[in-house]
């Protein structure tokens, strides 16, 4: 499920797995419409492996970004202890995003 949240005058979203764990967190968007476009982009493009950018943080942990077709980062994962955790996280986005509902939360 995508949860759409308003923070101040900006919007962002998270994608949660069935167990409630956050898989992906978005950037901040200036409008609700822009955040909804980000959600649609994730839903539409999450099956495309080229949309994922795997990264290693300075502390040695691993994470990934989901990018739009224009190369902008739409969302970022949590930090994982291993590269296999990143692979599992990406598979979770691919599995959960396409049919996920959108819920607005306070």
């Amino acid at each position: 499920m995508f949860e759409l949240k308003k923070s101040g005058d900006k919007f962002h979203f998270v994608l949660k797995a069935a167990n409630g764990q956050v898989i992906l967190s978005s950037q901040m968007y200036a409008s609700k419409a822009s955040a909804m476009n980000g959600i649609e982009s994730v839903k539409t493009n999450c099956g495309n492996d080229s949309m994922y950018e795997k990264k290693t943080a300075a502390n040695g942990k691993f994470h990934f970004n989901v990018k739009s077709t224009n190369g902008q980062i739409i969302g970022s994962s949590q930090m994982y202890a291993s590269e296999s955790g990143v692979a599992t996280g990406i598979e979770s986005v691919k599995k959960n995003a396409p049919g996920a509902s959108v819920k607005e939360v306070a």
Side-chain angles (χ1 to χ4, degrees):
M1 170 194 310
F2 286 99
E3 288 187 353
L4 179 64
K5 300 178 184 181
K6 185 173 184 181
S7 297
D9 61 349
K10 300 203 181 266
F11 293 83
H12 70 283
F13 63 84
V14 295
L15 172 62
K16 289 187 171 183
N19 65 2
Q21 176 128 7
V22 174
I23 310 167
L24 194 69
S25 299
S26 79
Q27 63 180 32
M28 297 302 283
Y29 291 93
S31 70
K32 182 178 175 181
S34 297
M36 291 299 293
N37 286 341
I39 290 170
E40 286 308 313
S41 183
V42 172
K43 285 181 160 194
T44 303
N45 299 308
C46 66
N48 182 346
D49 287 335
S50 67
M51 305 301 278
Y52 297 91
E53 175 185 49
K54 298 175 187 173
K55 308 280 278 176
T56 305
N59 64 3
K61 297 208 174 211
F62 304 92
H63 63 107
F64 64 89
N65 294 320
V66 177
K67 293 187 159 190
S68 66
T69 51
N70 67 5
Q72 295 279 82
I73 294 173
I74 305 169
S76 300
S77 73
Q78 64 181 27
M79 290 292 179
Y80 295 94
S82 67
E83 289 186 63
S84 64
V86 167
T88 301
I90 290 171
E91 287 306 311
S92 188
V93 171
K94 289 179 178 180
K95 176 182 154 199
N96 289 285
S101 60
V102 179
K103 180 174 108 177
E104 288 190 53
V105 294

